Amino acid sequence: MLLGCKGRFRMLANGDIKYQRAGHVHKRFNKSNRQRRELGQAKIMDPAFARMFKKLGFKSRTY
């Protein structure tokens, strides 16, 4: 699992984990402009999930 996560998640300098949201490209004509705009932006992972990732041993280059 962790090998696939290296390309999908980035650890920030303050310890937060950043990821790209799904659903931005597929079937975009059914989505509103606002929804497409928000899906295109990166998001910070919820702290509870970030703790789980760190317990599993997720380490990435910091940005």
Side-chain angles (χ1 to χ4, degrees):
M1 176 191 135
L2 294 177
L3 291 176
C5 292
K6 284 213 181 255
R8 293 180 173 91
F9 302 100
R10 297 281 183 248
M11 177 120 22
L12 301 178
N14 63 357
D16 290 343
I17 298 177
K18 182 171 84 168
Y19 67 99
Q20 188 64 42
R21 294 179 64 185
H24 175 60
V25 177
H26 188 65
K27 290 188 175 178
R28 75 176 96 188
F29 53 86
N30 286 338
K31 298 179 173 95
S32 66
N33 287 334
R34 177 182 173 175
Q35 192 174 11
R36 283 188 302 216
R37 188 171 59 244
E38 289 178 357
L39 288 173
Q41 296 173 351
K43 192 170 181 182
I44 303 297
M45 186 178 285
D46 187 62
F49 289 117
R51 274 196 302 275
M52 181 187 68
F53 261 62
K54 290 171 190 173
K55 280 184 182 178
L56 289 173
F58 174 72
K59 293 184 179 79
S60 176
R61 295 176 296 201
T62 57
Y63 290 95

